[in-house]
Amino acid sequence: MSLRLSTVILPIYRWAEGRKVWEGAEDLGFHAAYTYDHLSWRSFRDRTWFGAIPTLTAAAGVTDRMRLGTLVTSPNFRHPVPLAKELMTLDDISGGRVTLGVGAGGTGFDATTLGQQPWTPKERADRFADFVELLDRLLSQGDITFNGRFYSAVEARNIPGCVQTPRLPFAIAATGPRGMQLAAKYGQAWVTTGDPALYEAGTPQESLDAVRGQVERISASLRDAARDPDDVPKVFLTGFTPDRAAPFESVDAFVDFAGRHAEAGITEIVIHWPIPDTPEFAYDQATFERIATEAPRQLTS
């Protein structure tokens, strides 16, 4: 499986500007463009932040070729029944170009905005399993009743269903054993950001080794589920490793970074669209565009 290059565009733009960004992503030739599905996020909490599904719907109307998706949606503030209806509609509008990135969620703003206490890691894992199973059934069956531990549906109908069959693909973010088992059962792709424990004090080599170990574990989970690991893309969302912005300082630096991760088993690398004046993603726009257009050729040569 050849290495694909995708981008993630945070939902921070009024559409008059955002439209140009999404069109620009397609013009640069990215395989996919994703967006975060949060109510707010880190340093953007008091800044402009729009909803993921409406943003992707608008993006579907101004693009034709690249895939679109969330990276990632979580149970923190979502219920599978209305979410499935929105995703089915988005898949139709996009002509079958949607991937649902989905994860267990964390302890950030989304975890408490609806008034609940943050869930424990075990409860997040339990809810995630319920959430994914119900979403799978809602998006692949026209009429279902489901009584889960945390989520239920009574005669929920999703007609006519997704353009993609039997449903739109799930890219499941997971690093622990339970999540990887879930990804092996329901996922059409697997997502990682690396090992978050290494972000502050680890080294780039330690981070790369951790990603390689994660790829080995998800591959083992896939084999246990009687699936061929080579058939399931391994997606790496960059920006959360000890390298910080170093891979984006030049095309050569990125090719080296991406090549080492490809050797570790990653098949799709996702890079953030630059956002000036932010601590996270203040990459040089011109260098970013050169990476988008030049790096894929070097990585496949």
Side-chain angles (χ1 to χ4, degrees):
M1 188 179 295
S2 61
L3 184 67
R4 291 169 167 167
L5 185 58
S6 299
T7 190
V8 60
I9 300 168
L10 269 59
I12 60 173
Y13 306 99
R14 290 191 179 275
W15 190 242
E17 180 183 3
R19 171 178 183 149
K20 299 173 185 175
V21 175
W22 288 86
E23 290 174 332
E26 183 163 77
D27 290 342
L28 287 170
F30 284 112
H31 165 69
Y34 304 96
T35 197
Y36 285 9
D37 189 16
H38 292 297
L39 296 174
S40 58
W41 187 75
R42 297 190 184 181
S43 62
F44 294 87
R45 187 174 187 181
D46 295 317
R47 298 176 58 174
T48 300
W49 190 274
F50 290 105
I53 301 298
T55 296
L56 291 169
T57 303
V62 298
T63 59
D64 299 303
R65 301 179 303 279
M66 69 181 180
R67 294 195 62 81
L68 307 167
T70 57
L71 211 62
V72 295
T73 291
S74 83
N76 273 354
F77 65 96
R78 294 287 191 184
H79 189 286
V81 171
L83 176 61
K85 183 70 72 172
E86 292 179 356
L87 290 169
M88 181 192 71
T89 306
L90 176 58
D91 196 51
D92 181 72
I93 292 170
S94 70
R97 291 185 287 132
V98 175
T99 296
L100 174 69
V102 60
T107 58
F109 308 128
D110 296 346
T112 57
T113 298
L114 299 185
Q116 76 269 31
Q117 292 298 310
W119 301 323
T120 65
K122 181 181 184 303
E123 186 175 4
R124 285 202 303 274
D126 291 342
R127 286 179 175 271
F128 189 35
D130 230 25
F131 189 84
V132 171
E133 180 180 359
L134 179 50
L135 266 180
D136 170 69
R137 294 182 60 182
L138 285 163
L139 289 167
S140 58
Q141 303 174 25
D143 180 356
I144 76 152
T145 294
F146 178 91
N147 294 305
R149 181 178 172 190
F150 298 99
Y151 303 99
S152 298
V154 179
E155 297 183 359
R157 289 171 171 78
N158 279 306
I159 300 170
C162 295
V163 173
Q164 302 173 89
T165 56
R167 57 158 168 77
L168 55 83
F170 291 177
I172 298 182
T175 55
R178 288 188 63 190
M180 287 191 175
Q181 290 170 8
L182 201 68
K185 182 175 182 180
Y186 292 105
Q188 285 67 56
W190 165 78
V191 181
T192 184
T193 59
D195 184 346
L198 298 173
Y199 180 67
E200 294 294 340
T203 67
Q205 184 60 51
E206 288 173 334
S207 177
L208 179 63
D209 291 342
V211 170
R212 182 179 290 106
Q214 291 174 349
V215 170
E216 291 171 354
R217 291 193 295 277
I218 187 61
S219 296
S221 294
L222 287 161
R223 286 190 290 270
D224 289 344
R227 299 180 65 186
D228 186 343
D230 291 340
D231 292 339
V232 180
K234 318 298 188 301
V235 183
F236 179 43
L237 174 60
T238 63
F240 305 100
T241 63
D243 310 76
R244 303 293 199 276
F248 306 98
E249 292 176 355
S250 70
V251 176
D252 288 345
F254 180 79
V255 168
D256 177 68
F257 172 85
R260 287 185 284 115
H261 283 80
E263 290 173 357
I266 295 298
T267 58
E268 180 179 345
I269 290 185
V270 184
I271 60 178
H272 288 80
W273 194 271
I275 308 172
D277 304 320
T278 65
E280 299 93 353
F281 312 119
Y283 311 142
D284 177 70
Q285 183 72 35
T287 303
F288 172 85
E289 293 179 6
R290 287 191 60 209
I291 287 170
T293 55
E294 298 176 25
R297 292 194 297 271
Q298 294 189 37
L299 288 164
T300 57
S301 61

